[in-house]
């Protein structure tokens, strides 16, 4: 394979040669001819100087490289869908250039890379902006075409691009994760020539890209398995039957809300409208597809033409460049332009109904839910030119944008914002098994820090760390029936080793009660062996079927689980409360997240135990509550089952009283959701892997060499104070890039050092959580920063507490309950409780019914992790006064306590 790393010349010819070689790398040299005019403008920068951007007109550079990029993209068959979309190519080259142009230190950057490379450049004899653009093009083209590049080329690109974060920036520009970075299809093939849809598209000469991917049953799976770049969208598809009005295939953007009531209205259906999900058999009969495989392209299978295709107007908004939908099979997708989708339908004689749908999502406080579809302007006959404003679509790169920023605002789309934050801050990488995520060092360090804190605390309670096996036999797991009941579907089993079946399947631990307690039975003989207090740091697996979310709900997660045995109930209860108090402090003092501690109701407690206590957090961004951690009094249930007996002081045999308590990596997700903002992560100092970052502002006068002693002295002072600090002296990045990078990663304090600071023996301190800027004397800076970190920690907690308290309301009558939930509140109500457990289920169902009715929806997915129904969160320890004669808000029976309700995760 050609390596385009040494074209030592400064002429236009050399750049042409380089681009040709580049074409060779991606295997298209035969099919491409470079228009010399295109190249000429591309090399107008003349790759002579190190700093082409400062010496030449960057507009022509962009134009030239856009031209080259287009030529390449057009010629790479796999890039064919760039073909019809030259504007997009132009945009990403522009953006790529903007990334570089925004770097006012191209010169130093180039010099440093050059010396590192020994002139191993891609274009010309010195590293220039051209190299960077070409590297980006190469990265994208090679990824898209699936070409593996040689080590040398990769090394060269890596050096040219500085580091992987610029490659990622390139990825943001348009690396087609759908086709290349997602997992390879588990069962699919890459040859789609026999696929009926592909055949049809080819017959119609409609350019498309069809690619295999991990089998994805639902649109949620697709969003996770096949993330798409800005400007591209998957579709969500629903096949409806209405007895009176017939069959409807509805295809919308994933975030759009399919509200049947409003849909019927918008379609002008009269009389009784009852749109119901059509059966699997009907789906096969009418559209020739199985569940999970339907998409707008399958409408061509409807020979009788008795299915109405309803399309989301948002699919045709200006910012949608490509629509991805299944070609009759859900381990593949076909991407075509919106215009080509219309052409395909027209060729097939299908006239779609194009309707404006609202965006799925919950109403923000004070705002009505935006989820009612309306007939489109096009349908109302108002003409085509007026495209609807697409509120919640991903932004595409605009000129001057670095595309290193978050693409979603927290208020706009909370789930997408969260995903943006955890990826851009380098906390999470996605993995090819649904519900499993990679914890990158930035987030793992937080878990490390938590472990250090927690170990220190439990040591004071005489709890010892231990480690038990990962696997558990079926007999053991099922020994305590109440314990596994209800959890059984979540247990993952190992059934094979190599090719052979295991004699008996073994489970992967979902929790360790049944793994540990037989050993407890051995270890505990006499009252002298008590209390026994152990803690385990480990991973556990629970095969969830609800929408997975990194940290909050993953199939494998990390936790600590504490298990203790005591001689008396009273002692065990003290332990339960001590563990819960640690959890409260972990949230409030370490993560700066306020929580409500309390008892779980009988319905919500751990069935294997006697009583469950919990700390409940609130996430203002979604208006939902989340269980933070639980501490259980297990009573003697497990003791009886596992013979955990001891001789008491009188020589009598007694059953031990036990506790178990757990805190998981979910807490990290809660912290991100509570504190993050539109720039990215905002970290409370106590959990921040880095608490202060020193960024020098380099200039001709103030070189790295000059600033080094000054910054290193500050660093030493910070470290001497025990502050986790770093001096960012990477020469390939300019200060602006570094500010953005560390802000996204949530570092609480940035210390800027510029020429004026050096002159005045000071430093500028910028606080992440509120953006405040202050000048501090260098003398005593370490001590001042230590105080500052404490006050940041406190201020972040206060802010989160205020946001939570504003959404904690008391309601005494049913009529106010659902409206309060709709306003994203946690709701405290008087409660009959005790033996009147059925009322809890009643509230859940009734609140679901009323909430759905208020939204004009018929039902919700039974497996949704974010139901609109209310749940009891806890009976708070701290109870408001309950006047004599107060009635339960639901049953009207005498109230015995206040209970906290909310929609929860
Ligand atoms: C899933 C599958 C099987 C939760 C499960 O909360 C069993 C279980 O027992 C299960 N999910 N639980 C309850 C866990 C109880 C308890 N264990 C120790 C904790 C804290 C740590």
């Amino acid at each position: 394979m050609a390596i385009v790393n040494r074209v030592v010349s400064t002429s236009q010819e050399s750049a042409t040669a380089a681009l040709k070689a580049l074409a060779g790398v991606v295997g298209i040299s035969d099919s491409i001819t470079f228009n010399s005019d295109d190249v000429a403008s591309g090399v107008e920068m003349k790759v002579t100087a190190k700093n082409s951007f400062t010496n030449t007109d960057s507009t022509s550079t962009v134009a030239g490289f856009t031209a080259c990029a287009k030529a390449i993209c057009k010629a790479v068959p796999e890039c064919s869908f760039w073909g019809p979309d030259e504007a997009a190519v132009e945009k990403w080259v522009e953006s790529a250039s903007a990334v570089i142009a925004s770097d006012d230190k191209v010169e130093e950057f180039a010099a440093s890379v050059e010396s590192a490379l020994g002139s191993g450049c891609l274009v010309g004899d010195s590293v220039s902006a051209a190299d960077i653009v070409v590297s980006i093009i190469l990265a994208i083209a090679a990824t898209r075409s699936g070409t593996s590049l040689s080590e040398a080329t990769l090394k060269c690109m890596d050096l040219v691009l500085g580091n992987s974060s610029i490659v990622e920036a390139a990825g943001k520009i348009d690396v087609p994760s759908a086709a290349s970075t997602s997992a390879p299809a588990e069962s699919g093939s890459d040859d789609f020539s026999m696929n009926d849809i592909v055949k049809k598209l080819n017959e119609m000469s409609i350019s498309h890209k069809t690619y295999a991917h991990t089998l994805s049953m639902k649109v949620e799976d697709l969003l996770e398995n096949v993330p798409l770049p800005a400007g591209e969208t998957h579709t969500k598809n629903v096949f409806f039957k209405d007895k009176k009005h017939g069959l409807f295939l509805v295809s919308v953007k994933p975030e759009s809300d399919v509200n049947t009531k409003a849909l019927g209205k918008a379609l002008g259906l009269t009389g009784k409208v009852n749109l119901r999900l059509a059966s699997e058999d009907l789906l096969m009969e009418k559209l020739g597809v199985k569940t999970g495989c339907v998409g707008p392209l399958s409408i061509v299978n409807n020979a009788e033409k008795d299915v109405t295709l309803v399309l989301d107007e948002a699919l045709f908004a200006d910012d949608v460049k490509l629509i991805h939908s299944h070609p009759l099979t859900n381990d593949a997708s076909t991407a075509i332009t919106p215009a080509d989708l219309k052409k395909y339908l027209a060729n097939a004689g299908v006239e779609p109904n194009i309707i404006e749908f609202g965006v799925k999502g919950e109403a923000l406080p004070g705002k009505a839910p935006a989820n009612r579809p309306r007939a489109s302007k096009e349908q109302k006959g108002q003409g085509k030119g007026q495209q609807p404003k697409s509120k919640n679509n991903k932004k595409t790169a605009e000129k001057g944008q670095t595309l290193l920023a978050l693409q979603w605002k927290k208020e706009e789309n909370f789930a997408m914002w969260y995903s943006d934050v955890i990826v851009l801050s380098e906390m999470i990488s996605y993995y090819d098994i649904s519900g499993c995520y990679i914890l990158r060092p930035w987030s793992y360090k937080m878990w490390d820090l938590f472990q250090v804190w927690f170990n220190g605390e439990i040591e004071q309670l005489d709890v010892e760390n231990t480690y038990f096996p990962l696997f558990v036999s079926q007999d053991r797991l099922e020994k305590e029936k109440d314990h596994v009941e209800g959890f059984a579907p979540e247990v993952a089993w190992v059934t094979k080793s190599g090719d052979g079946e295991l004699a008996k399947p073994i489970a992967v631990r979902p929790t360790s009660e049944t793994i540990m307690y037989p050993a407890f039975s051995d270890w505990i003989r006499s009252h002298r062996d008590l209390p026994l207090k152990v803690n385990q740091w480990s991973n556990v697996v629970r095969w969830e079927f609800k929408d997975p979310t990194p940290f909050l709900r993953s199939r494998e997660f990390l936790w600590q689980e504490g298990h203790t045995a005591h001689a008396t109930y009273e002692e065990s209860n003290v332990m339960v409360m001590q563990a819960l108090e640690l959890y409260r402090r972990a949230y409030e003092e370490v993560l700066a997240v306020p929580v409500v501690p309390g008892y779980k109701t009988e319905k919500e407690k751990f069935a294997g135990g006697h009583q469950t206590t919990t700390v409940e957090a609130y996430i203002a961004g979604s208006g939902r509550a989340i269980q933070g951690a639980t501490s259980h009094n297990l009573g003697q249930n497990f003791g009886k089952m596992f013979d955990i007996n001891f001789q008491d002081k009188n020589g009598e045999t007694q059953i031990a009283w036990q506790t178990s308590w757990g805190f998981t990596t979910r807490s990290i997700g809660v912290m991100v959701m509570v504190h993050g903002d539109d720039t990215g992560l905002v970290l409370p100092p106590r959990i921040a892997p880095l608490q202060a970052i020193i960024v020098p502002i380099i200039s001709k006068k103030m070189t790295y060499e000059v600033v080094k002693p000054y910054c290193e002295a500050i660093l030493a002072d910070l470290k001497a104070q025990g502050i986790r600090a770093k001096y960012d002296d990477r020469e390939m990045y300019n200060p602006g890039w570094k500010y953005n990078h560390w802000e996204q990663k949530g570092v609480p304090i940035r210390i800027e050092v510029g020429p004026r600071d050096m002159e005045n023996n000071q430093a500028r301190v910028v606080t992440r959580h509120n953006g405040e800027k202050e000048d501090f004397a260098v003398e005593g800076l370490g001590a001042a920063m230590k105080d500052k970190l404490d006050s940041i920690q406190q201020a972040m907690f206060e802010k989160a507490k205020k946001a939570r308290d504003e959404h904690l309301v008391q309601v005494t009558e049913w009529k106010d309950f659902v409206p309060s939930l709709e306003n994203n509140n946690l709701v405290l109500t008087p409660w009959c409780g005790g033996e009147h457990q059925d009322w809890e289920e009643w509230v859940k169902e009734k609140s679901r019914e009323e909430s759905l009715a208020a939204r004009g929806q018929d039902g919700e997915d039974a497996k949704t992790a974010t139901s609109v129904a209310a749940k009891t969160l806890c009976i708070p320890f701290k109870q408001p006064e309950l006047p004599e004669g107060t009635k339960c808000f639901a049953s009207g029976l005498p109230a015995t306590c206040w209970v906290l309700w909310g929609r929860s995760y």
Side-chain angles (χ1 to χ4, degrees), residues 483-484 487 490-491 510-511 513 542 559 561-563 606 630 632 660-662:
H483 166 223
V484 275
F487 293 130
E490 289 176 19
V491 179
T511 179
E513 277 81 356
R542 294 180 187 172
W559 75 350
E561 51 179 318
H563 295 266
F606 170 36
T630 47
H632 312 282
S660 77
W661 23 282

